[in-house]
Amino acid sequence: MRYPDWIWHNGRIKPWAEATTHVMAHALHYGSSVFEGIRSYETPNGPAIFRLTDHNKRLFASAKIYELAMPYTLEQINAACREVVKANGLTKAYLRPVAFRGLGGFGLSADTPTDVAVAAWQMGAYLGDGVLEQGIDACVSSWQRFAPNTIPAGAKAGGNYLSGQLVAREARRLGFGEGIALASTGLLSEGAGENLFLVFDGALHTPPVSAALLNGITRNTLMTLARDHGIPVVERDIPREYLYLCDELFMCGTAAEITPIRSVDGRQVGEGRPGPVTRRMQELFFGLFDGRTPDRYGWLEPVEA
């Protein structure tokens, strides 16, 4: 991977190689970080960051859950995101704001300074070239998501993604494009780092946030777009076997965007290719960036604010 030239770190833009932290930083040992994944897109009106404010509001919400003091305001983090995109000469990019407990103590409850960085780099389709058009083969992981009242799934925290790493690496080892995790109840939760939608009779079905999943911003976007365009949306508990019975199935997230799933555990989903509802949701979502879908909610926030 070619790294970008510049990164925003603790209040200023600096060369990528200079954004360092100590090996005894709290977050490195205990996973005490919160972060976001955000994309900017090229639009007819210039580069825009998709739901920048909503993403960074969630960053602050995650920090609140973990009692992580934020040394910058929401407006300053938004400005940092714009600044690092411009500094690297990017238009279409992936952004990663991250806040973490730095060096300052060695116990679990140690009070430490909070370090904050924002990186931006070019990234294509997260799960591989061509997957948005062709779909992937997925499997149900042997690893379950964490039980309620253990780790807060509503926080986008670094430590939470140890679970996702186990799910994703198992899937890759077994030859699948991505893994799907069940909740501790045995009901459907989410992918390794993506939310899930199943299609039955033209309607979108998705597990509720109580199923140990992150309430994804892309998930919310698709639910809003679907309802605006007459596609029913149902949030409900979903048993595992419904993955094999649905008409269509896709994953979504900032990195994954809208990735169709053509089979689960070797069982073909629907016709074994992206179906009409999946394609329609892709059209509506990507249409936000080329002007086909009106941005009724102010989701596109210009890089040149």
PDB file of all heavy atoms in Angstrom, residues 90-126:
ATOM      1  N   LEU A  90      -6.884  14.803  -2.504  1.00  0.00           N
ATOM      2  CA  LEU A  90      -7.837  13.736  -2.767  1.00  0.00           C
ATOM      3  C   LEU A  90      -9.219  14.304  -3.093  1.00  0.00           C
ATOM      4  O   LEU A  90      -9.574  15.404  -2.676  1.00  0.00           O
ATOM      5  CB  LEU A  90      -7.952  12.814  -1.552  1.00  0.00           C
ATOM      6  CG  LEU A  90      -6.668  12.099  -1.126  1.00  0.00           C
ATOM      7  CD1 LEU A  90      -6.870  11.404   0.208  1.00  0.00           C
ATOM      8  CD2 LEU A  90      -6.230  11.099  -2.194  1.00  0.00           C
ATOM      9  N   THR A  91      -9.994  13.535  -3.819  1.00  0.00           N
ATOM     10  CA  THR A  91     -11.410  13.837  -4.024  1.00  0.00           C
ATOM     11  C   THR A  91     -12.237  12.664  -3.503  1.00  0.00           C
ATOM     12  O   THR A  91     -12.935  12.770  -2.518  1.00  0.00           O
ATOM     13  CB  THR A  91     -11.703  14.115  -5.512  1.00  0.00           C
ATOM     14  OG1 THR A  91     -11.233  13.019  -6.310  1.00  0.00           O
ATOM     15  CG2 THR A  91     -11.043  15.404  -5.967  1.00  0.00           C
ATOM     16  N   LYS A  92     -12.078  11.511  -4.174  1.00  0.00           N
ATOM     17  CA  LYS A  92     -12.725  10.292  -3.701  1.00  0.00           C
ATOM     18  C   LYS A  92     -11.774   9.614  -2.729  1.00  0.00           C
ATOM     19  O   LYS A  92     -10.665   9.226  -3.092  1.00  0.00           O
ATOM     20  CB  LYS A  92     -13.038   9.378  -4.880  1.00  0.00           C
ATOM     21  CG  LYS A  92     -13.893   8.180  -4.543  1.00  0.00           C
ATOM     22  CD  LYS A  92     -14.253   7.398  -5.795  1.00  0.00           C
ATOM     23  CE  LYS A  92     -15.162   6.228  -5.463  1.00  0.00           C
ATOM     24  NZ  LYS A  92     -15.525   5.453  -6.678  1.00  0.00           N
ATOM     25  N   ALA A  93     -12.186   9.488  -1.469  1.00  0.00           N
ATOM     26  CA  ALA A  93     -11.245   9.023  -0.441  1.00  0.00           C
ATOM     27  C   ALA A  93     -11.985   8.337   0.695  1.00  0.00           C
ATOM     28  O   ALA A  93     -13.205   8.453   0.834  1.00  0.00           O
ATOM     29  CB  ALA A  93     -10.444  10.204   0.109  1.00  0.00           C
ATOM     30  N   TYR A  94     -11.211   7.621   1.500  1.00  0.00           N
ATOM     31  CA  TYR A  94     -11.699   7.039   2.749  1.00  0.00           C
ATOM     32  C   TYR A  94     -11.020   7.789   3.886  1.00  0.00           C
ATOM     33  O   TYR A  94      -9.798   7.987   3.867  1.00  0.00           O
ATOM     34  CB  TYR A  94     -11.354   5.552   2.812  1.00  0.00           C
ATOM     35  CG  TYR A  94     -11.846   4.844   4.058  1.00  0.00           C
ATOM     36  CD1 TYR A  94     -13.125   4.308   4.108  1.00  0.00           C
ATOM     37  CD2 TYR A  94     -11.031   4.723   5.186  1.00  0.00           C
ATOM     38  CE1 TYR A  94     -13.579   3.656   5.255  1.00  0.00           C
ATOM     39  CE2 TYR A  94     -11.473   4.077   6.326  1.00  0.00           C
ATOM     40  CZ  TYR A  94     -12.750   3.550   6.350  1.00  0.00           C
ATOM     41  OH  TYR A  94     -13.192   2.915   7.484  1.00  0.00           O
ATOM     42  N   LEU A  95     -11.791   8.210   4.888  1.00  0.00           N
ATOM     43  CA  LEU A  95     -11.266   8.963   6.019  1.00  0.00           C
ATOM     44  C   LEU A  95     -11.372   8.134   7.286  1.00  0.00           C
ATOM     45  O   LEU A  95     -12.342   7.391   7.481  1.00  0.00           O
ATOM     46  CB  LEU A  95     -12.035  10.269   6.230  1.00  0.00           C
ATOM     47  CG  LEU A  95     -11.887  11.354   5.170  1.00  0.00           C
ATOM     48  CD1 LEU A  95     -12.885  11.151   4.035  1.00  0.00           C
ATOM     49  CD2 LEU A  95     -12.095  12.732   5.792  1.00  0.00           C
ATOM     50  N   ARG A  96     -10.390   8.295   8.161  1.00  0.00           N
ATOM     51  CA  ARG A  96     -10.376   7.567   9.419  1.00  0.00           C
ATOM     52  C   ARG A  96     -10.028   8.518  10.577  1.00  0.00           C
ATOM     53  O   ARG A  96      -8.874   8.706  10.912  1.00  0.00           O
ATOM     54  CB  ARG A  96      -9.359   6.424   9.337  1.00  0.00           C
ATOM     55  CG  ARG A  96      -9.037   5.690  10.648  1.00  0.00           C
ATOM     56  CD  ARG A  96     -10.267   5.107  11.320  1.00  0.00           C
ATOM     57  NE  ARG A  96     -11.000   4.219  10.462  1.00  0.00           N
ATOM     58  CZ  ARG A  96     -10.717   2.932  10.276  1.00  0.00           C
ATOM     59  NH1 ARG A  96      -9.689   2.379  10.882  1.00  0.00           N
ATOM     60  NH2 ARG A  96     -11.470   2.193   9.486  1.00  0.00           N
ATOM     61  N   PRO A  97     -11.041   9.140  11.203  1.00  0.00           N
ATOM     62  CA  PRO A  97     -10.793   9.835  12.462  1.00  0.00           C
ATOM     63  C   PRO A  97     -10.677   8.801  13.589  1.00  0.00           C
ATOM     64  O   PRO A  97     -11.468   7.847  13.645  1.00  0.00           O
ATOM     65  CB  PRO A  97     -12.049  10.706  12.658  1.00  0.00           C
ATOM     66  CG  PRO A  97     -12.849  10.567  11.398  1.00  0.00           C
ATOM     67  CD  PRO A  97     -12.430   9.301  10.743  1.00  0.00           C
ATOM     68  N   VAL A  98      -9.711   8.983  14.477  1.00  0.00           N
ATOM     69  CA  VAL A  98      -9.528   8.058  15.594  1.00  0.00           C
ATOM     70  C   VAL A  98      -9.092   8.846  16.822  1.00  0.00           C
ATOM     71  O   VAL A  98      -8.283   9.772  16.727  1.00  0.00           O
ATOM     72  CB  VAL A  98      -8.502   6.951  15.245  1.00  0.00           C
ATOM     73  CG1 VAL A  98      -7.142   7.537  14.881  1.00  0.00           C
ATOM     74  CG2 VAL A  98      -8.380   5.937  16.376  1.00  0.00           C
ATOM     75  N   ALA A  99      -9.664   8.512  17.958  1.00  0.00           N
ATOM     76  CA  ALA A  99      -9.278   9.104  19.244  1.00  0.00           C
ATOM     77  C   ALA A  99      -8.940   7.960  20.186  1.00  0.00           C
ATOM     78  O   ALA A  99      -9.659   6.955  20.237  1.00  0.00           O
ATOM     79  CB  ALA A  99     -10.419   9.955  19.815  1.00  0.00           C
ATOM     80  N   PHE A 100      -7.859   8.111  20.946  1.00  0.00           N
ATOM     81  CA  PHE A 100      -7.436   6.997  21.788  1.00  0.00           C
ATOM     82  C   PHE A 100      -6.697   7.488  23.028  1.00  0.00           C
ATOM     83  O   PHE A 100      -6.119   8.576  23.040  1.00  0.00           O
ATOM     84  CB  PHE A 100      -6.551   6.031  20.994  1.00  0.00           C
ATOM     85  CG  PHE A 100      -5.305   6.638  20.408  1.00  0.00           C
ATOM     86  CD1 PHE A 100      -4.081   6.566  21.073  1.00  0.00           C
ATOM     87  CD2 PHE A 100      -5.342   7.269  19.167  1.00  0.00           C
ATOM     88  CE1 PHE A 100      -2.932   7.107  20.535  1.00  0.00           C
ATOM     89  CE2 PHE A 100      -4.189   7.820  18.618  1.00  0.00           C
ATOM     90  CZ  PHE A 100      -2.983   7.735  19.299  1.00  0.00           C
ATOM     91  N   ARG A 101      -6.725   6.635  24.046  1.00  0.00           N
ATOM     92  CA  ARG A 101      -5.974   6.932  25.256  1.00  0.00           C
ATOM     93  C   ARG A 101      -4.488   6.701  24.976  1.00  0.00           C
ATOM     94  O   ARG A 101      -4.079   5.618  24.587  1.00  0.00           O
ATOM     95  CB  ARG A 101      -6.457   6.055  26.416  1.00  0.00           C
ATOM     96  CG  ARG A 101      -7.839   6.439  26.906  1.00  0.00           C
ATOM     97  CD  ARG A 101      -8.217   5.758  28.231  1.00  0.00           C
ATOM     98  NE  ARG A 101      -9.416   6.378  28.780  1.00  0.00           N
ATOM     99  CZ  ARG A 101     -10.651   5.896  28.668  1.00  0.00           C
ATOM    100  NH1 ARG A 101     -10.838   4.747  28.042  1.00  0.00           N
ATOM    101  NH2 ARG A 101     -11.685   6.538  29.171  1.00  0.00           N
ATOM    102  N   GLY A 102      -3.697   7.745  25.197  1.00  0.00           N
ATOM    103  CA  GLY A 102      -2.284   7.678  24.885  1.00  0.00           C
ATOM    104  C   GLY A 102      -1.440   7.285  26.080  1.00  0.00           C
ATOM    105  O   GLY A 102      -1.892   6.585  26.998  1.00  0.00           O
ATOM    106  N   LEU A 103      -0.215   7.740  26.085  1.00  0.00           N
ATOM    107  CA  LEU A 103       0.727   7.417  27.156  1.00  0.00           C
ATOM    108  C   LEU A 103       0.425   8.264  28.387  1.00  0.00           C
ATOM    109  O   LEU A 103       0.227   9.463  28.277  1.00  0.00           O
ATOM    110  CB  LEU A 103       2.156   7.687  26.692  1.00  0.00           C
ATOM    111  CG  LEU A 103       3.266   7.367  27.693  1.00  0.00           C
ATOM    112  CD1 LEU A 103       3.338   5.875  27.959  1.00  0.00           C
ATOM    113  CD2 LEU A 103       4.600   7.887  27.168  1.00  0.00           C
ATOM    114  N   GLY A 104       0.389   7.616  29.561  1.00  0.00           N
ATOM    115  CA  GLY A 104       0.137   8.383  30.773  1.00  0.00           C
ATOM    116  C   GLY A 104      -0.204   7.530  31.974  1.00  0.00           C
ATOM    117  O   GLY A 104      -0.353   8.038  33.077  1.00  0.00           O
ATOM    118  N   GLY A 105      -0.344   6.253  31.790  1.00  0.00           N
ATOM    119  CA  GLY A 105      -0.652   5.357  32.894  1.00  0.00           C
ATOM    120  C   GLY A 105      -0.761   3.942  32.395  1.00  0.00           C
ATOM    121  O   GLY A 105      -0.966   3.704  31.198  1.00  0.00           O
ATOM    122  N   PHE A 106      -0.630   2.981  33.334  1.00  0.00           N
ATOM    123  CA  PHE A 106      -0.548   1.580  32.928  1.00  0.00           C
ATOM    124  C   PHE A 106      -1.712   0.715  33.414  1.00  0.00           C
ATOM    125  O   PHE A 106      -1.805  -0.444  33.045  1.00  0.00           O
ATOM    126  CB  PHE A 106       0.785   0.984  33.396  1.00  0.00           C
ATOM    127  CG  PHE A 106       1.975   1.746  32.895  1.00  0.00           C
ATOM    128  CD1 PHE A 106       2.827   2.398  33.763  1.00  0.00           C
ATOM    129  CD2 PHE A 106       2.233   1.823  31.538  1.00  0.00           C
ATOM    130  CE1 PHE A 106       3.911   3.109  33.292  1.00  0.00           C
ATOM    131  CE2 PHE A 106       3.322   2.532  31.048  1.00  0.00           C
ATOM    132  CZ  PHE A 106       4.166   3.180  31.932  1.00  0.00           C
ATOM    133  N   GLY A 107      -2.589   1.247  34.224  1.00  0.00           N
ATOM    134  CA  GLY A 107      -3.726   0.469  34.698  1.00  0.00           C
ATOM    135  C   GLY A 107      -4.927   0.612  33.786  1.00  0.00           C
ATOM    136  O   GLY A 107      -5.003   1.523  32.952  1.00  0.00           O
ATOM    137  N   LEU A 108      -5.881  -0.279  33.933  1.00  0.00           N
ATOM    138  CA  LEU A 108      -7.082  -0.232  33.097  1.00  0.00           C
ATOM    139  C   LEU A 108      -7.808   1.095  33.216  1.00  0.00           C
ATOM    140  O   LEU A 108      -8.320   1.631  32.237  1.00  0.00           O
ATOM    141  CB  LEU A 108      -8.020  -1.387  33.470  1.00  0.00           C
ATOM    142  CG  LEU A 108      -7.625  -2.780  32.981  1.00  0.00           C
ATOM    143  CD1 LEU A 108      -8.507  -3.831  33.643  1.00  0.00           C
ATOM    144  CD2 LEU A 108      -7.736  -2.862  31.468  1.00  0.00           C
ATOM    145  N   SER A 109      -7.875   1.628  34.430  1.00  0.00           N
ATOM    146  CA  SER A 109      -8.622   2.865  34.652  1.00  0.00           C
ATOM    147  C   SER A 109      -7.717   4.091  34.695  1.00  0.00           C
ATOM    148  O   SER A 109      -8.122   5.143  35.198  1.00  0.00           O
ATOM    149  CB  SER A 109      -9.415   2.765  35.958  1.00  0.00           C
ATOM    150  OG  SER A 109      -8.535   2.589  37.065  1.00  0.00           O
ATOM    151  N   ALA A 110      -6.520   3.978  34.168  1.00  0.00           N
ATOM    152  CA  ALA A 110      -5.567   5.093  34.216  1.00  0.00           C
ATOM    153  C   ALA A 110      -6.114   6.310  33.469  1.00  0.00           C
ATOM    154  O   ALA A 110      -6.769   6.188  32.432  1.00  0.00           O
ATOM    155  CB  ALA A 110      -4.239   4.664  33.606  1.00  0.00           C
ATOM    156  N   ASP A 111      -5.845   7.471  34.019  1.00  0.00           N
ATOM    157  CA  ASP A 111      -6.173   8.719  33.334  1.00  0.00           C
ATOM    158  C   ASP A 111      -5.007   9.090  32.422  1.00  0.00           C
ATOM    159  O   ASP A 111      -3.874   9.276  32.871  1.00  0.00           O
ATOM    160  CB  ASP A 111      -6.410   9.834  34.360  1.00  0.00           C
ATOM    161  CG  ASP A 111      -7.686   9.616  35.160  1.00  0.00           C
ATOM    162  OD1 ASP A 111      -8.665   9.123  34.568  1.00  0.00           O
ATOM    163  OD2 ASP A 111      -7.696   9.924  36.360  1.00  0.00           O
ATOM    164  N   THR A 112      -5.283   9.168  31.161  1.00  0.00           N
ATOM    165  CA  THR A 112      -4.230   9.456  30.181  1.00  0.00           C
ATOM    166  C   THR A 112      -4.687  10.585  29.260  1.00  0.00           C
ATOM    167  O   THR A 112      -5.885  10.856  29.148  1.00  0.00           O
ATOM    168  CB  THR A 112      -3.916   8.221  29.317  1.00  0.00           C
ATOM    169  OG1 THR A 112      -5.007   8.026  28.400  1.00  0.00           O
ATOM    170  CG2 THR A 112      -3.733   6.980  30.170  1.00  0.00           C
ATOM    171  N   PRO A 113      -3.761  11.206  28.573  1.00  0.00           N
ATOM    172  CA  PRO A 113      -4.158  12.157  27.531  1.00  0.00           C
ATOM    173  C   PRO A 113      -4.888  11.421  26.404  1.00  0.00           C
ATOM    174  O   PRO A 113      -4.675  10.228  26.191  1.00  0.00           O
ATOM    175  CB  PRO A 113      -2.826  12.720  27.030  1.00  0.00           C
ATOM    176  CG  PRO A 113      -1.817  12.336  28.040  1.00  0.00           C
ATOM    177  CD  PRO A 113      -2.298  11.092  28.704  1.00  0.00           C
ATOM    178  N   THR A 114      -5.747  12.153  25.708  1.00  0.00           N
ATOM    179  CA  THR A 114      -6.409  11.603  24.529  1.00  0.00           C
ATOM    180  C   THR A 114      -5.721  12.128  23.282  1.00  0.00           C
ATOM    181  O   THR A 114      -5.620  13.346  23.089  1.00  0.00           O
ATOM    182  CB  THR A 114      -7.900  11.993  24.490  1.00  0.00           C
ATOM    183  OG1 THR A 114      -8.552  11.498  25.657  1.00  0.00           O
ATOM    184  CG2 THR A 114      -8.581  11.422  23.254  1.00  0.00           C
ATOM    185  N   ASP A 115      -5.211  11.228  22.468  1.00  0.00           N
ATOM    186  CA  ASP A 115      -4.626  11.589  21.176  1.00  0.00           C
ATOM    187  C   ASP A 115      -5.704  11.466  20.104  1.00  0.00           C
ATOM    188  O   ASP A 115      -6.572  10.577  20.174  1.00  0.00           O
ATOM    189  CB  ASP A 115      -3.466  10.664  20.825  1.00  0.00           C
ATOM    190  CG  ASP A 115      -2.238  10.897  21.688  1.00  0.00           C
ATOM    191  OD1 ASP A 115      -2.293  11.791  22.556  1.00  0.00           O
ATOM    192  OD2 ASP A 115      -1.237  10.197  21.504  1.00  0.00           O
ATOM    193  N   VAL A 116      -5.641  12.333  19.118  1.00  0.00           N
ATOM    194  CA  VAL A 116      -6.630  12.317  18.038  1.00  0.00           C
ATOM    195  C   VAL A 116      -5.905  12.463  16.706  1.00  0.00           C
ATOM    196  O   VAL A 116      -4.987  13.285  16.575  1.00  0.00           O
ATOM    197  CB  VAL A 116      -7.665  13.446  18.189  1.00  0.00           C
ATOM    198  CG1 VAL A 116      -8.733  13.345  17.092  1.00  0.00           C
ATOM    199  CG2 VAL A 116      -8.326  13.412  19.561  1.00  0.00           C
ATOM    200  N   ALA A 117      -6.303  11.663  15.738  1.00  0.00           N
ATOM    201  CA  ALA A 117      -5.743  11.754  14.396  1.00  0.00           C
ATOM    202  C   ALA A 117      -6.849  11.599  13.367  1.00  0.00           C
ATOM    203  O   ALA A 117      -7.900  11.000  13.651  1.00  0.00           O
ATOM    204  CB  ALA A 117      -4.671  10.683  14.186  1.00  0.00           C
ATOM    205  N   VAL A 118      -6.616  12.139  12.189  1.00  0.00           N
ATOM    206  CA  VAL A 118      -7.517  11.931  11.054  1.00  0.00           C
ATOM    207  C   VAL A 118      -6.652  11.637   9.842  1.00  0.00           C
ATOM    208  O   VAL A 118      -5.809  12.452   9.455  1.00  0.00           O
ATOM    209  CB  VAL A 118      -8.406  13.151  10.765  1.00  0.00           C
ATOM    210  CG1 VAL A 118      -9.356  12.827   9.608  1.00  0.00           C
ATOM    211  CG2 VAL A 118      -9.191  13.582  11.995  1.00  0.00           C
ATOM    212  N   ALA A 119      -6.848  10.465   9.254  1.00  0.00           N
ATOM    213  CA  ALA A 119      -6.136  10.074   8.039  1.00  0.00           C
ATOM    214  C   ALA A 119      -7.118  10.020   6.875  1.00  0.00           C
ATOM    215  O   ALA A 119      -8.325   9.876   7.065  1.00  0.00           O
ATOM    216  CB  ALA A 119      -5.469   8.712   8.224  1.00  0.00           C
ATOM    217  N   ALA A 120      -6.580  10.137   5.665  1.00  0.00           N
ATOM    218  CA  ALA A 120      -7.394  10.001   4.455  1.00  0.00           C
ATOM    219  C   ALA A 120      -6.539   9.366   3.370  1.00  0.00           C
ATOM    220  O   ALA A 120      -5.376   9.731   3.195  1.00  0.00           O
ATOM    221  CB  ALA A 120      -7.912  11.364   4.000  1.00  0.00           C
ATOM    222  N   TRP A 121      -7.142   8.405   2.665  1.00  0.00           N
ATOM    223  CA  TRP A 121      -6.404   7.736   1.600  1.00  0.00           C
ATOM    224  C   TRP A 121      -7.381   7.231   0.539  1.00  0.00           C
ATOM    225  O   TRP A 121      -8.596   7.176   0.760  1.00  0.00           O
ATOM    226  CB  TRP A 121      -5.565   6.589   2.147  1.00  0.00           C
ATOM    227  CG  TRP A 121      -6.326   5.443   2.772  1.00  0.00           C
ATOM    228  CD1 TRP A 121      -6.796   4.323   2.142  1.00  0.00           C
ATOM    229  CD2 TRP A 121      -6.699   5.297   4.152  1.00  0.00           C
ATOM    230  NE1 TRP A 121      -7.433   3.484   3.037  1.00  0.00           N
ATOM    231  CE2 TRP A 121      -7.372   4.058   4.286  1.00  0.00           C
ATOM    232  CE3 TRP A 121      -6.510   6.089   5.295  1.00  0.00           C
ATOM    233  CZ2 TRP A 121      -7.886   3.607   5.505  1.00  0.00           C
ATOM    234  CZ3 TRP A 121      -7.017   5.637   6.512  1.00  0.00           C
ATOM    235  CH2 TRP A 121      -7.694   4.405   6.601  1.00  0.00           C
ATOM    236  N   GLN A 122      -6.846   6.865  -0.599  1.00  0.00           N
ATOM    237  CA  GLN A 122      -7.667   6.307  -1.665  1.00  0.00           C
ATOM    238  C   GLN A 122      -7.988   4.851  -1.348  1.00  0.00           C
ATOM    239  O   GLN A 122      -7.104   4.092  -0.943  1.00  0.00           O
ATOM    240  CB  GLN A 122      -6.941   6.396  -3.007  1.00  0.00           C
ATOM    241  CG  GLN A 122      -6.788   7.812  -3.534  1.00  0.00           C
ATOM    242  CD  GLN A 122      -6.125   7.860  -4.886  1.00  0.00           C
ATOM    243  OE1 GLN A 122      -5.311   6.996  -5.222  1.00  0.00           O
ATOM    244  NE2 GLN A 122      -6.454   8.865  -5.684  1.00  0.00           N
ATOM    245  N   MET A 123      -9.245   4.462  -1.515  1.00  0.00           N
ATOM    246  CA  MET A 123      -9.635   3.069  -1.289  1.00  0.00           C
ATOM    247  C   MET A 123     -10.767   2.712  -2.234  1.00  0.00           C
ATOM    248  O   MET A 123     -11.759   3.455  -2.321  1.00  0.00           O
ATOM    249  CB  MET A 123     -10.069   2.835   0.161  1.00  0.00           C
ATOM    250  CG  MET A 123     -10.372   1.368   0.452  1.00  0.00           C
ATOM    251  SD  MET A 123     -10.701   1.022   2.212  1.00  0.00           S
ATOM    252  CE  MET A 123     -12.386   1.636   2.355  1.00  0.00           C
ATOM    253  N   GLY A 124     -10.627   1.607  -2.905  1.00  0.00           N
ATOM    254  CA  GLY A 124     -11.672   1.134  -3.792  1.00  0.00           C
ATOM    255  C   GLY A 124     -12.688   0.288  -3.036  1.00  0.00           C
ATOM    256  O   GLY A 124     -12.971   0.526  -1.869  1.00  0.00           O
ATOM    257  N   ALA A 125     -13.215  -0.736  -3.703  1.00  0.00           N
ATOM    258  CA  ALA A 125     -14.190  -1.629  -3.074  1.00  0.00           C
ATOM    259  C   ALA A 125     -13.509  -2.417  -1.954  1.00  0.00           C
ATOM    260  O   ALA A 125     -12.487  -3.069  -2.175  1.00  0.00           O
ATOM    261  CB  ALA A 125     -14.783  -2.581  -4.102  1.00  0.00           C
ATOM    262  N   TYR A 126     -14.061  -2.350  -0.766  1.00  0.00           N
ATOM    263  CA  TYR A 126     -13.433  -2.920   0.433  1.00  0.00           C
ATOM    264  C   TYR A 126     -13.211  -4.423   0.328  1.00  0.00           C
ATOM    265  O   TYR A 126     -12.177  -4.947   0.740  1.00  0.00           O
ATOM    266  CB  TYR A 126     -14.305  -2.585   1.637  1.00  0.00           C
ATOM    267  CG  TYR A 126     -13.893  -3.242   2.931  1.00  0.00           C
ATOM    268  CD1 TYR A 126     -12.660  -2.964   3.512  1.00  0.00           C
ATOM    269  CD2 TYR A 126     -14.753  -4.126   3.586  1.00  0.00           C
ATOM    270  CE1 TYR A 126     -12.283  -3.550   4.713  1.00  0.00           C
ATOM    271  CE2 TYR A 126     -14.384  -4.718   4.784  1.00  0.00           C
ATOM    272  CZ  TYR A 126     -13.152  -4.429   5.348  1.00  0.00           C
ATOM    273  OH  TYR A 126     -12.780  -5.026   6.526  1.00  0.00           O
TER     274      TYR A 126
END
